[in-house]
Amino acid sequence: MMNMFRSGLNVCCLALGKRLSSTFAGESALPSNLLIPPNLVEVQRRLRPLPTDSVPVLHKCEAEIARHLRPRQAWLESLRSRGEDQLGVVELHPDVFAVHPRIDILHAVEVWQRNFKRISHAKVKSRAEVSGGGKKPWAQKGSGRARHGSIRSPLWRGGGISHGPRGPTSYYYMLPMKVRVMGLKVALTSKLAQDYLHVVDNLEMPTPDPEFLLDIVRHRQWGESVLFVDANEAFPENLLQAAAGLKMVNVLPAIGLNVHSMLKHESLVLTLDAVKFLEKKLLWHDSRFTPLYPFRLPYSDFP
Amino acid sequence: MGPRRDLPARSLGSNMSASVVNMLTRMCATIKPAYVWLSPVGVVPSAMGRLRMASSSTAEQKSAVVESTEEYKYVERLIPPTKIPTPPLHDGPAPSGWRPPSAVTPDLPYMVRRSRLHNVPVYTDLTHGNRKTTLLRKIEGDIWALENDVKEYLVQLTGKIPLTQVNEVTMSIRIKGHFDKELKEWLLEKGF
């Protein structure tokens, strides 16, 4: 732990600069206003050469892609063994996995997710609620003391609080549906752009051993925390048993995918079914009418 | 008098709680044997008996009603869709003046997409009662190149360089003054 701090800012900058100068030829390595956290751990990802024979495209996007955009590609991997991580290539829709990186929307959706469920139960008694204090403690004039009307006024020790938190307060608010959808798209885009998105054909595992799962995660350099997402809620037993004891590996159905979970886990592993489900659901919002009545009521082409 | 057996509990009014309804139905169950005992004597039947006779006649009337689900198609065709349809193909402009985007994407460093209802995304705004601006949205690619082209075009039109604001986060350009018709025409000529 101390080694990270001792390495210092200069070494970190040099390492980052070396990586960036290779990608952006001709430009300076690092922008001058870049803030680097002092405990940044640089994990050197190994670059593997592409296979010499043609790579099969195992899944194409079902929805139409705009003519000026090209689909993004990701390797199709498998959890069956440690080495099965280049089965083929999967095409991802650019309107879900390559949108404009709106970090402000990502922040807004993350803050909304934290706060809309919050009910703060803090409550203090005001001068009306503190027991006692109905009687004037002494006469208005003549006693020589300051004039007071009740022993529970906010001026008094033991008196009520004048402007304290009053009762359960709700912090509920809803962001527009399209903003929340855009947040999911931006999060998926960011994961893909940072090489933290992996696509798996299914979540079948040969053993329920957590060590096997951790070995795969470490070997394929997926990061410290991994989120497995499948389209339906029926997960294979082996994966559930393996992930049950692990703190850093979690499993989630695709309807539960949210920006907070994606930001919390370093790496996101989607099954092919989950990719199809997410593309279908998120692309529907791009070409839908504004609702005449809530979507939970029946429409002719909405399930 | 207890509640009628043939009516569901809900129709008795929302004020009646479930426990009260349960109590009343249990009371009905206890009253029933009394009716059965009275009937052979020929005594005027109790209130429950009168109710029983009324319910049997309505059951006969109900059997004359025919249930059919074939007319539901008249309801189904009224339920609206959610997806915006793609516009039909026209030869040239549509009768309303609408023109589709060109089949070939223009060879420019930027792209302006259509709105979800297939229109050109140029909007006017009027704030403070007198401040006119035009907003050009849904831009992708090199936004500064588009801003240069917009400025060149509007300089030819008006004679003075328009004030513009480029928002790189939302990828939109705001121009001082109302130029929506001109910019829509210009973008359609470009093929967006």
Side-chain angles (χ1 to χ4, degrees), chain B residues 1-36:
Chain B
M1 194 178 89
R4 289 177 59 172
R5 281 285 191 92
D6 51 343
L7 283 175
R10 268 178 277 126
S11 64
L12 295 167
S14 52
N15 297 333
M16 232 182 247
S17 64
S19 55
V20 173
V21 167
N22 286 341
M23 186 187 72
L24 288 168
T25 43
R26 267 182 271 121
M27 273 167 60
C28 289
T30 51
I31 289 166
K32 187 185 162 190
Y35 163 65
V36 168

PDB file of all heavy atoms in Angstrom, chain B residues 1-36:
ATOM      1  N   MET B   1     -80.130  -8.009   8.713  1.00  0.00           N
ATOM      2  CA  MET B   1     -80.047  -8.667   7.401  1.00  0.00           C
ATOM      3  C   MET B   1     -78.600  -8.719   6.968  1.00  0.00           C
ATOM      4  O   MET B   1     -77.901  -7.714   7.007  1.00  0.00           O
ATOM      5  CB  MET B   1     -80.872  -7.851   6.394  1.00  0.00           C
ATOM      6  CG  MET B   1     -81.120  -8.626   5.131  1.00  0.00           C
ATOM      7  SD  MET B   1     -82.127  -7.666   3.983  1.00  0.00           S
ATOM      8  CE  MET B   1     -80.925  -6.756   3.068  1.00  0.00           C
ATOM      9  N   GLY B   2     -78.171  -9.857   6.505  1.00  0.00           N
ATOM     10  CA  GLY B   2     -76.774  -9.973   6.084  1.00  0.00           C
ATOM     11  C   GLY B   2     -76.610  -9.512   4.657  1.00  0.00           C
ATOM     12  O   GLY B   2     -77.597  -9.249   3.957  1.00  0.00           O
ATOM     13  N   PRO B   3     -75.379  -9.440   4.195  1.00  0.00           N
ATOM     14  CA  PRO B   3     -75.154  -9.006   2.807  1.00  0.00           C
ATOM     15  C   PRO B   3     -75.556 -10.086   1.821  1.00  0.00           C
ATOM     16  O   PRO B   3     -75.603 -11.256   2.141  1.00  0.00           O
ATOM     17  CB  PRO B   3     -73.647  -8.776   2.769  1.00  0.00           C
ATOM     18  CG  PRO B   3     -73.098  -9.640   3.838  1.00  0.00           C
ATOM     19  CD  PRO B   3     -74.160  -9.739   4.896  1.00  0.00           C
ATOM     20  N   ARG B   4     -75.860  -9.662   0.572  1.00  0.00           N
ATOM     21  CA  ARG B   4     -76.295 -10.630  -0.434  1.00  0.00           C
ATOM     22  C   ARG B   4     -75.129 -11.505  -0.839  1.00  0.00           C
ATOM     23  O   ARG B   4     -74.050 -11.012  -1.088  1.00  0.00           O
ATOM     24  CB  ARG B   4     -76.813  -9.866  -1.647  1.00  0.00           C
ATOM     25  CG  ARG B   4     -78.132  -9.193  -1.369  1.00  0.00           C
ATOM     26  CD  ARG B   4     -78.597  -8.402  -2.541  1.00  0.00           C
ATOM     27  NE  ARG B   4     -78.751  -9.243  -3.716  1.00  0.00           N
ATOM     28  CZ  ARG B   4     -79.293  -8.802  -4.839  1.00  0.00           C
ATOM     29  NH1 ARG B   4     -79.708  -7.570  -4.924  1.00  0.00           N
ATOM     30  NH2 ARG B   4     -79.402  -9.584  -5.884  1.00  0.00           N
ATOM     31  N   ARG B   5     -75.362 -12.792  -0.946  1.00  0.00           N
ATOM     32  CA  ARG B   5     -74.288 -13.725  -1.259  1.00  0.00           C
ATOM     33  C   ARG B   5     -73.805 -13.561  -2.697  1.00  0.00           C
ATOM     34  O   ARG B   5     -72.686 -13.830  -3.023  1.00  0.00           O
ATOM     35  CB  ARG B   5     -74.774 -15.155  -1.083  1.00  0.00           C
ATOM     36  CG  ARG B   5     -74.833 -15.651   0.331  1.00  0.00           C
ATOM     37  CD  ARG B   5     -73.433 -15.956   0.862  1.00  0.00           C
ATOM     38  NE  ARG B   5     -73.549 -16.681   2.125  1.00  0.00           N
ATOM     39  CZ  ARG B   5     -73.574 -18.016   2.199  1.00  0.00           C
ATOM     40  NH1 ARG B   5     -73.520 -18.748   1.102  1.00  0.00           N
ATOM     41  NH2 ARG B   5     -73.682 -18.610   3.369  1.00  0.00           N
ATOM     42  N   ASP B   6     -74.719 -13.157  -3.641  1.00  0.00           N
ATOM     43  CA  ASP B   6     -74.298 -13.152  -5.048  1.00  0.00           C
ATOM     44  C   ASP B   6     -73.469 -11.929  -5.403  1.00  0.00           C
ATOM     45  O   ASP B   6     -72.852 -11.864  -6.440  1.00  0.00           O
ATOM     46  CB  ASP B   6     -75.534 -13.238  -5.968  1.00  0.00           C
ATOM     47  CG  ASP B   6     -76.566 -12.192  -5.600  1.00  0.00           C
ATOM     48  OD1 ASP B   6     -76.462 -11.657  -4.482  1.00  0.00           O
ATOM     49  OD2 ASP B   6     -77.473 -11.931  -6.387  1.00  0.00           O
ATOM     50  N   LEU B   7     -73.412 -10.927  -4.530  1.00  0.00           N
ATOM     51  CA  LEU B   7     -72.604  -9.744  -4.817  1.00  0.00           C
ATOM     52  C   LEU B   7     -71.197  -9.935  -4.263  1.00  0.00           C
ATOM     53  O   LEU B   7     -71.046 -10.491  -3.181  1.00  0.00           O
ATOM     54  CB  LEU B   7     -73.221  -8.505  -4.159  1.00  0.00           C
ATOM     55  CG  LEU B   7     -74.441  -7.903  -4.843  1.00  0.00           C
ATOM     56  CD1 LEU B   7     -74.962  -6.762  -3.974  1.00  0.00           C
ATOM     57  CD2 LEU B   7     -74.114  -7.369  -6.209  1.00  0.00           C
ATOM     58  N   PRO B   8     -70.145  -9.491  -4.980  1.00  0.00           N
ATOM     59  CA  PRO B   8     -68.805  -9.588  -4.393  1.00  0.00           C
ATOM     60  C   PRO B   8     -68.665  -8.581  -3.257  1.00  0.00           C
ATOM     61  O   PRO B   8     -69.371  -7.589  -3.215  1.00  0.00           O
ATOM     62  CB  PRO B   8     -67.870  -9.250  -5.552  1.00  0.00           C
ATOM     63  CG  PRO B   8     -68.714  -8.437  -6.467  1.00  0.00           C
ATOM     64  CD  PRO B   8     -70.124  -8.913  -6.315  1.00  0.00           C
ATOM     65  N   ALA B   9     -67.742  -8.879  -2.364  1.00  0.00           N
ATOM     66  CA  ALA B   9     -67.581  -8.061  -1.165  1.00  0.00           C
ATOM     67  C   ALA B   9     -67.193  -6.627  -1.519  1.00  0.00           C
ATOM     68  O   ALA B   9     -67.540  -5.683  -0.852  1.00  0.00           O
ATOM     69  CB  ALA B   9     -66.540  -8.687  -0.267  1.00  0.00           C
ATOM     70  N   ARG B  10     -66.468  -6.442  -2.647  1.00  0.00           N
ATOM     71  CA  ARG B  10     -65.966  -5.114  -2.974  1.00  0.00           C
ATOM     72  C   ARG B  10     -67.079  -4.119  -3.221  1.00  0.00           C
ATOM     73  O   ARG B  10     -66.950  -2.944  -2.990  1.00  0.00           O
ATOM     74  CB  ARG B  10     -65.102  -5.195  -4.231  1.00  0.00           C
ATOM     75  CG  ARG B  10     -63.632  -5.420  -3.953  1.00  0.00           C
ATOM     76  CD  ARG B  10     -62.834  -5.550  -5.199  1.00  0.00           C
ATOM     77  NE  ARG B  10     -62.896  -6.911  -5.704  1.00  0.00           N
ATOM     78  CZ  ARG B  10     -63.264  -7.207  -6.950  1.00  0.00           C
ATOM     79  NH1 ARG B  10     -63.560  -6.290  -7.800  1.00  0.00           N
ATOM     80  NH2 ARG B  10     -63.317  -8.452  -7.357  1.00  0.00           N
ATOM     81  N   SER B  11     -68.252  -4.620  -3.758  1.00  0.00           N
ATOM     82  CA  SER B  11     -69.276  -3.669  -4.160  1.00  0.00           C
ATOM     83  C   SER B  11     -70.027  -3.117  -2.976  1.00  0.00           C
ATOM     84  O   SER B  11     -70.879  -2.273  -3.130  1.00  0.00           O
ATOM     85  CB  SER B  11     -70.258  -4.341  -5.122  1.00  0.00           C
ATOM     86  OG  SER B  11     -70.907  -5.373  -4.426  1.00  0.00           O
ATOM     87  N   LEU B  12     -69.748  -3.610  -1.787  1.00  0.00           N
ATOM     88  CA  LEU B  12     -70.489  -3.147  -0.619  1.00  0.00           C
ATOM     89  C   LEU B  12     -69.973  -1.806  -0.141  1.00  0.00           C
ATOM     90  O   LEU B  12     -70.409  -1.300   0.866  1.00  0.00           O
ATOM     91  CB  LEU B  12     -70.378  -4.180   0.515  1.00  0.00           C
ATOM     92  CG  LEU B  12     -71.051  -5.522   0.169  1.00  0.00           C
ATOM     93  CD1 LEU B  12     -70.647  -6.569   1.171  1.00  0.00           C
ATOM     94  CD2 LEU B  12     -72.552  -5.359   0.171  1.00  0.00           C
ATOM     95  N   GLY B  13     -69.018  -1.263  -0.800  1.00  0.00           N
ATOM     96  CA  GLY B  13     -68.500   0.038  -0.396  1.00  0.00           C
ATOM     97  C   GLY B  13     -67.123  -0.108   0.208  1.00  0.00           C
ATOM     98  O   GLY B  13     -66.825  -1.073   0.899  1.00  0.00           O
ATOM     99  N   SER B  14     -66.265   0.849  -0.095  1.00  0.00           N
ATOM    100  CA  SER B  14     -64.889   0.713   0.357  1.00  0.00           C
ATOM    101  C   SER B  14     -64.779   0.884   1.866  1.00  0.00           C
ATOM    102  O   SER B  14     -63.774   0.568   2.455  1.00  0.00           O
ATOM    103  CB  SER B  14     -64.022   1.753  -0.344  1.00  0.00           C
ATOM    104  OG  SER B  14     -64.613   3.016  -0.164  1.00  0.00           O
ATOM    105  N   ASN B  15     -65.825   1.464   2.485  1.00  0.00           N
ATOM    106  CA  ASN B  15     -65.728   1.685   3.927  1.00  0.00           C
ATOM    107  C   ASN B  15     -65.719   0.381   4.705  1.00  0.00           C
ATOM    108  O   ASN B  15     -65.183   0.274   5.777  1.00  0.00           O
ATOM    109  CB  ASN B  15     -66.914   2.535   4.419  1.00  0.00           C
ATOM    110  CG  ASN B  15     -66.882   3.911   3.775  1.00  0.00           C
ATOM    111  OD1 ASN B  15     -65.823   4.388   3.419  1.00  0.00           O
ATOM    112  ND2 ASN B  15     -68.049   4.497   3.604  1.00  0.00           N
ATOM    113  N   MET B  16     -66.353  -0.671   4.080  1.00  0.00           N
ATOM    114  CA  MET B  16     -66.460  -1.905   4.839  1.00  0.00           C
ATOM    115  C   MET B  16     -65.124  -2.609   4.836  1.00  0.00           C
ATOM    116  O   MET B  16     -64.595  -2.929   3.793  1.00  0.00           O
ATOM    117  CB  MET B  16     -67.531  -2.796   4.172  1.00  0.00           C
ATOM    118  CG  MET B  16     -68.525  -3.247   5.182  1.00  0.00           C
ATOM    119  SD  MET B  16     -69.762  -4.311   4.549  1.00  0.00           S
ATOM    120  CE  MET B  16     -71.168  -3.286   4.719  1.00  0.00           C
ATOM    121  N   SER B  17     -64.562  -2.863   6.001  1.00  0.00           N
ATOM    122  CA  SER B  17     -63.256  -3.520   6.058  1.00  0.00           C
ATOM    123  C   SER B  17     -63.426  -5.013   5.856  1.00  0.00           C
ATOM    124  O   SER B  17     -64.529  -5.544   5.965  1.00  0.00           O
ATOM    125  CB  SER B  17     -62.611  -3.243   7.408  1.00  0.00           C
ATOM    126  OG  SER B  17     -63.396  -3.836   8.415  1.00  0.00           O
ATOM    127  N   ALA B  18     -62.341  -5.681   5.566  1.00  0.00           N
ATOM    128  CA  ALA B  18     -62.362  -7.120   5.266  1.00  0.00           C
ATOM    129  C   ALA B  18     -62.892  -7.895   6.460  1.00  0.00           C
ATOM    130  O   ALA B  18     -63.653  -8.848   6.325  1.00  0.00           O
ATOM    131  CB  ALA B  18     -60.949  -7.586   4.896  1.00  0.00           C
ATOM    132  N   SER B  19     -62.528  -7.456   7.666  1.00  0.00           N
ATOM    133  CA  SER B  19     -62.939  -8.194   8.862  1.00  0.00           C
ATOM    134  C   SER B  19     -64.451  -8.109   9.040  1.00  0.00           C
ATOM    135  O   SER B  19     -65.112  -9.079   9.403  1.00  0.00           O
ATOM    136  CB  SER B  19     -62.238  -7.640  10.097  1.00  0.00           C
ATOM    137  OG  SER B  19     -62.501  -6.263  10.183  1.00  0.00           O
ATOM    138  N   VAL B  20     -65.033  -6.930   8.744  1.00  0.00           N
ATOM    139  CA  VAL B  20     -66.486  -6.753   8.888  1.00  0.00           C
ATOM    140  C   VAL B  20     -67.193  -7.637   7.889  1.00  0.00           C
ATOM    141  O   VAL B  20     -68.192  -8.292   8.198  1.00  0.00           O
ATOM    142  CB  VAL B  20     -66.861  -5.265   8.680  1.00  0.00           C
ATOM    143  CG1 VAL B  20     -68.353  -5.094   8.647  1.00  0.00           C
ATOM    144  CG2 VAL B  20     -66.223  -4.422   9.754  1.00  0.00           C
ATOM    145  N   VAL B  21     -66.659  -7.672   6.636  1.00  0.00           N
ATOM    146  CA  VAL B  21     -67.286  -8.496   5.588  1.00  0.00           C
ATOM    147  C   VAL B  21     -67.233  -9.969   5.995  1.00  0.00           C
ATOM    148  O   VAL B  21     -68.212 -10.700   5.847  1.00  0.00           O
ATOM    149  CB  VAL B  21     -66.559  -8.261   4.240  1.00  0.00           C
ATOM    150  CG1 VAL B  21     -66.962  -9.307   3.229  1.00  0.00           C
ATOM    151  CG2 VAL B  21     -66.879  -6.882   3.708  1.00  0.00           C
ATOM    152  N   ASN B  22     -66.081 -10.401   6.530  1.00  0.00           N
ATOM    153  CA  ASN B  22     -65.953 -11.807   6.969  1.00  0.00           C
ATOM    154  C   ASN B  22     -66.981 -12.129   8.032  1.00  0.00           C
ATOM    155  O   ASN B  22     -67.637 -13.176   8.005  1.00  0.00           O
ATOM    156  CB  ASN B  22     -64.552 -12.058   7.532  1.00  0.00           C
ATOM    157  CG  ASN B  22     -63.514 -12.118   6.425  1.00  0.00           C
ATOM    158  OD1 ASN B  22     -63.883 -12.319   5.272  1.00  0.00           O
ATOM    159  ND2 ASN B  22     -62.267 -11.914   6.757  1.00  0.00           N
ATOM    160  N   MET B  23     -67.155 -11.172   8.967  1.00  0.00           N
ATOM    161  CA  MET B  23     -68.110 -11.386  10.061  1.00  0.00           C
ATOM    162  C   MET B  23     -69.509 -11.528   9.499  1.00  0.00           C
ATOM    163  O   MET B  23     -70.264 -12.416   9.892  1.00  0.00           O
ATOM    164  CB  MET B  23     -68.027 -10.190  11.020  1.00  0.00           C
ATOM    165  CG  MET B  23     -68.863 -10.358  12.264  1.00  0.00           C
ATOM    166  SD  MET B  23     -68.863  -8.845  13.225  1.00  0.00           S
ATOM    167  CE  MET B  23     -69.854  -7.771  12.251  1.00  0.00           C
ATOM    168  N   LEU B  24     -69.859 -10.678   8.532  1.00  0.00           N
ATOM    169  CA  LEU B  24     -71.211 -10.691   7.989  1.00  0.00           C
ATOM    170  C   LEU B  24     -71.457 -11.971   7.191  1.00  0.00           C
ATOM    171  O   LEU B  24     -72.533 -12.538   7.244  1.00  0.00           O
ATOM    172  CB  LEU B  24     -71.423  -9.461   7.098  1.00  0.00           C
ATOM    173  CG  LEU B  24     -71.535  -8.142   7.878  1.00  0.00           C
ATOM    174  CD1 LEU B  24     -71.442  -6.971   6.929  1.00  0.00           C
ATOM    175  CD2 LEU B  24     -72.835  -8.078   8.660  1.00  0.00           C
ATOM    176  N   THR B  25     -70.440 -12.448   6.457  1.00  0.00           N
ATOM    177  CA  THR B  25     -70.629 -13.685   5.684  1.00  0.00           C
ATOM    178  C   THR B  25     -70.790 -14.874   6.634  1.00  0.00           C
ATOM    179  O   THR B  25     -71.542 -15.792   6.358  1.00  0.00           O
ATOM    180  CB  THR B  25     -69.433 -13.952   4.743  1.00  0.00           C
ATOM    181  OG1 THR B  25     -68.224 -13.697   5.442  1.00  0.00           O
ATOM    182  CG2 THR B  25     -69.503 -13.059   3.524  1.00  0.00           C
ATOM    183  N   ARG B  26     -70.041 -14.796   7.777  1.00  0.00           N
ATOM    184  CA  ARG B  26     -70.224 -15.880   8.749  1.00  0.00           C
ATOM    185  C   ARG B  26     -71.617 -15.837   9.345  1.00  0.00           C
ATOM    186  O   ARG B  26     -72.239 -16.867   9.608  1.00  0.00           O
ATOM    187  CB  ARG B  26     -69.178 -15.798   9.867  1.00  0.00           C
ATOM    188  CG  ARG B  26     -67.945 -16.651   9.558  1.00  0.00           C
ATOM    189  CD  ARG B  26     -66.924 -16.626  10.658  1.00  0.00           C
ATOM    190  NE  ARG B  26     -65.969 -15.514  10.457  1.00  0.00           N
ATOM    191  CZ  ARG B  26     -65.791 -14.545  11.345  1.00  0.00           C
ATOM    192  NH1 ARG B  26     -66.451 -14.513  12.476  1.00  0.00           N
ATOM    193  NH2 ARG B  26     -64.924 -13.568  11.099  1.00  0.00           N
ATOM    194  N   MET B  27     -72.181 -14.629   9.533  1.00  0.00           N
ATOM    195  CA  MET B  27     -73.541 -14.499  10.038  1.00  0.00           C
ATOM    196  C   MET B  27     -74.525 -15.109   9.057  1.00  0.00           C
ATOM    197  O   MET B  27     -75.467 -15.788   9.451  1.00  0.00           O
ATOM    198  CB  MET B  27     -73.887 -13.019  10.238  1.00  0.00           C
ATOM    199  CG  MET B  27     -73.487 -12.486  11.588  1.00  0.00           C
ATOM    200  SD  MET B  27     -73.572 -10.696  11.627  1.00  0.00           S
ATOM    201  CE  MET B  27     -75.272 -10.381  11.257  1.00  0.00           C
ATOM    202  N   CYS B  28     -74.270 -14.875   7.734  1.00  0.00           N
ATOM    203  CA  CYS B  28     -75.146 -15.470   6.723  1.00  0.00           C
ATOM    204  C   CYS B  28     -75.147 -16.980   6.842  1.00  0.00           C
ATOM    205  O   CYS B  28     -76.176 -17.624   6.730  1.00  0.00           O
ATOM    206  CB  CYS B  28     -74.644 -15.106   5.321  1.00  0.00           C
ATOM    207  SG  CYS B  28     -74.898 -13.394   4.934  1.00  0.00           S
ATOM    208  N   ALA B  29     -73.959 -17.538   7.075  1.00  0.00           N
ATOM    209  CA  ALA B  29     -73.841 -18.998   7.160  1.00  0.00           C
ATOM    210  C   ALA B  29     -74.660 -19.523   8.328  1.00  0.00           C
ATOM    211  O   ALA B  29     -75.248 -20.592   8.249  1.00  0.00           O
ATOM    212  CB  ALA B  29     -72.368 -19.388   7.307  1.00  0.00           C
ATOM    213  N   THR B  30     -74.709 -18.775   9.429  1.00  0.00           N
ATOM    214  CA  THR B  30     -75.482 -19.247  10.587  1.00  0.00           C
ATOM    215  C   THR B  30     -76.977 -19.059  10.349  1.00  0.00           C
ATOM    216  O   THR B  30     -77.771 -19.844  10.820  1.00  0.00           O
ATOM    217  CB  THR B  30     -75.067 -18.488  11.850  1.00  0.00           C
ATOM    218  OG1 THR B  30     -75.131 -17.096  11.563  1.00  0.00           O
ATOM    219  CG2 THR B  30     -73.653 -18.861  12.286  1.00  0.00           C
ATOM    220  N   ILE B  31     -77.353 -18.039   9.584  1.00  0.00           N
ATOM    221  CA  ILE B  31     -78.785 -17.800   9.349  1.00  0.00           C
ATOM    222  C   ILE B  31     -79.356 -18.889   8.444  1.00  0.00           C
ATOM    223  O   ILE B  31     -80.481 -19.305   8.575  1.00  0.00           O
ATOM    224  CB  ILE B  31     -78.987 -16.404   8.707  1.00  0.00           C
ATOM    225  CG1 ILE B  31     -78.705 -15.300   9.733  1.00  0.00           C
ATOM    226  CG2 ILE B  31     -80.392 -16.247   8.175  1.00  0.00           C
ATOM    227  CD1 ILE B  31     -78.556 -13.950   9.144  1.00  0.00           C
ATOM    228  N   LYS B  32     -78.539 -19.374   7.509  1.00  0.00           N
ATOM    229  CA  LYS B  32     -79.026 -20.325   6.486  1.00  0.00           C
ATOM    230  C   LYS B  32     -79.743 -21.542   7.065  1.00  0.00           C
ATOM    231  O   LYS B  32     -80.826 -21.864   6.613  1.00  0.00           O
ATOM    232  CB  LYS B  32     -77.830 -20.725   5.624  1.00  0.00           C
ATOM    233  CG  LYS B  32     -78.209 -21.574   4.425  1.00  0.00           C
ATOM    234  CD  LYS B  32     -76.957 -22.028   3.678  1.00  0.00           C
ATOM    235  CE  LYS B  32     -77.318 -23.218   2.782  1.00  0.00           C
ATOM    236  NZ  LYS B  32     -76.126 -23.846   2.220  1.00  0.00           N
ATOM    237  N   PRO B  33     -79.168 -22.249   8.066  1.00  0.00           N
ATOM    238  CA  PRO B  33     -79.884 -23.434   8.581  1.00  0.00           C
ATOM    239  C   PRO B  33     -81.288 -23.085   9.108  1.00  0.00           C
ATOM    240  O   PRO B  33     -82.208 -23.857   8.990  1.00  0.00           O
ATOM    241  CB  PRO B  33     -78.997 -23.967   9.704  1.00  0.00           C
ATOM    242  CG  PRO B  33     -77.667 -23.364   9.454  1.00  0.00           C
ATOM    243  CD  PRO B  33     -77.905 -22.099   8.720  1.00  0.00           C
ATOM    244  N   ALA B  34     -81.441 -21.863   9.648  1.00  0.00           N
ATOM    245  CA  ALA B  34     -82.753 -21.473  10.181  1.00  0.00           C
ATOM    246  C   ALA B  34     -83.782 -21.461   9.054  1.00  0.00           C
ATOM    247  O   ALA B  34     -84.912 -21.900   9.221  1.00  0.00           O
ATOM    248  CB  ALA B  34     -82.644 -20.104  10.841  1.00  0.00           C
ATOM    249  N   TYR B  35     -83.371 -20.951   7.872  1.00  0.00           N
ATOM    250  CA  TYR B  35     -84.299 -20.912   6.731  1.00  0.00           C
ATOM    251  C   TYR B  35     -84.697 -22.323   6.312  1.00  0.00           C
ATOM    252  O   TYR B  35     -85.843 -22.605   6.016  1.00  0.00           O
ATOM    253  CB  TYR B  35     -83.649 -20.137   5.590  1.00  0.00           C
ATOM    254  CG  TYR B  35     -84.320 -20.379   4.259  1.00  0.00           C
ATOM    255  CD1 TYR B  35     -85.643 -19.974   4.053  1.00  0.00           C
ATOM    256  CD2 TYR B  35     -83.661 -21.042   3.237  1.00  0.00           C
ATOM    257  CE1 TYR B  35     -86.268 -20.201   2.848  1.00  0.00           C
ATOM    258  CE2 TYR B  35     -84.289 -21.258   2.029  1.00  0.00           C
ATOM    259  CZ  TYR B  35     -85.573 -20.852   1.839  1.00  0.00           C
ATOM    260  OH  TYR B  35     -86.197 -21.075   0.656  1.00  0.00           O
ATOM    261  N   VAL B  36     -83.682 -23.207   6.240  1.00  0.00           N
ATOM    262  CA  VAL B  36     -83.955 -24.581   5.779  1.00  0.00           C
ATOM    263  C   VAL B  36     -84.984 -25.260   6.698  1.00  0.00           C
ATOM    264  O   VAL B  36     -85.869 -25.950   6.265  1.00  0.00           O
ATOM    265  CB  VAL B  36     -82.638 -25.376   5.721  1.00  0.00           C
ATOM    266  CG1 VAL B  36     -82.911 -26.845   5.528  1.00  0.00           C
ATOM    267  CG2 VAL B  36     -81.762 -24.854   4.599  1.00  0.00           C
TER     268      VAL B  36
END
